[in-house]
Amino acid sequence: MHEAARNVIRQRMERTAQALRKNNMEAVCVDSAADVLPLLEHWIALGSSVGMGGSVTLAECGVEQFLHSGRVRFLDRAAPGLTEAEKDAVLRAHFSADWFLCSANAITEEGEIFNVDGLANRIAALAFGPRNVALVAGCNKLVKDLAEAQHRLETLAAPANAQRLACKTPCAQTGVCANCQSPARICCDYLVLRQQRQKGRIRVILVAETLGF
């Protein structure tokens, strides 16, 4: 990438970070996915309980290896051999975790974090419960406003995630949202985080690379 284009991306990231800070969220801008894990290791104390929402971004940053390292108590809903009741118990344990990690479907330049879920476990934990939340988002997730965030969801994030999860939905077949009523629909519940009462509970790492969907 040309350095001029990289500078423009960094400038947009910093504008967004400033808006997040005004909304009582912490924000850090980094150059690459390799910079994410050292930050998380610095923030998350040894032995902390940590939950995670499903995220291609976190996987691309090596976060899953950290969670399985034994340094923290990972509340892993995908652990082998869990019954459905045990998976449900792990999801509910996320609400009292020391940390919850996830990404975002989009982040606006006004400092709004936009997320959409099928089961709503991720957005529920974002809104309330875990003592600390850390979101990681590539520069590809930055949008002008909520209208652009919705467009991004319908034309990229939702279809790509539906394909990744092998969901039998129209968007998985066509690559664009059909506002379906499929039993496998993954766009059921919406959350927009704006001004936060609890200053600094939510921390956002913005990465100057394309990550996730």
Side-chain angles (χ1 to χ4, degrees):
M1 181 186 296
H2 195 283
E3 188 60 25
R6 191 179 299 277
N7 285 338
V8 170
I9 289 171
R10 287 171 178 156
Q11 289 167 336
R12 190 181 197 192
M13 287 170 56
E14 188 52 46
R15 287 198 305 272
T16 304
Q18 291 285 5
L20 288 164
R21 293 174 192 131
K22 287 180 180 178
N23 283 340
N24 272 343
M25 294 177 268
E26 294 187 17
V28 180
C29 298
V30 300
D31 290 330
S32 71
D35 298 318
V36 171
L37 200 51
L39 272 174
L40 294 179
E41 290 175 335
H42 176 69
W43 290 343
I44 302 174
L46 290 174
S48 296
S49 57
V50 183
M52 184 181 75
S55 170
V56 172
T57 296
L58 293 183
E60 290 175 337
C61 293
V63 173
E64 292 182 355
Q65 292 92 316
F66 164 66
L67 294 176
H68 288 287
S69 68
R71 292 168 52 92
V72 298
R73 183 164 62 88
F74 180 28
L75 305 173
D76 184 8
R77 61 172 173 167
L82 292 183
T83 65
E84 289 303 313
E86 289 169 334
K87 291 178 183 177
D88 182 72
V90 171
L91 286 177
R92 296 181 187 281
H94 286 178
F95 298 116
S96 58
D98 297 314
W99 284 87
F100 184 75
L101 311 180
C102 64
S103 187
N105 293 126
I107 301 177
T108 76
E109 291 188 25
E110 295 298 316
E112 301 160 313
I113 300 175
F114 175 87
N115 272 304
V116 181
D117 268 2
L119 187 60
N121 59 295
R122 179 179 59 143
I123 63 173
L126 276 171
F128 181 80
R131 293 171 183 82
N132 302 280
V133 173
L135 292 104
V136 182
C139 59
N140 52 308
K141 303 286 188 77
L142 303 185
V143 297
K144 179 181 178 181
D145 52 28
L146 291 175
E148 188 176 333
Q150 181 69 28
H151 179 75
R152 184 179 192 284
L153 172 78
E154 293 177 355
T155 59
L156 176 61
N161 275 303
Q163 290 184 19
R164 174 176 69 91
L165 298 170
C167 295
K168 295 181 179 179
T169 58
C171 70
Q173 299 298 317
T174 66
V176 65
C177 174
N179 192 26
C180 71
Q181 291 184 301
S182 166
R185 177 177 170 132
I186 62 173
C187 301
C188 299
D189 301 287
Y190 288 64
L191 175 71
V192 176
L193 296 171
R194 291 191 174 99
Q195 177 79 15
Q196 297 295 294
R197 287 190 176 186
Q198 191 173 350
K199 183 178 176 64
R201 172 181 174 263
I202 295 175
R203 308 184 191 192
V204 181
I205 303 173
L206 300 177
V207 186
E209 288 184 352
T210 296
L211 296 170
F213 307 140

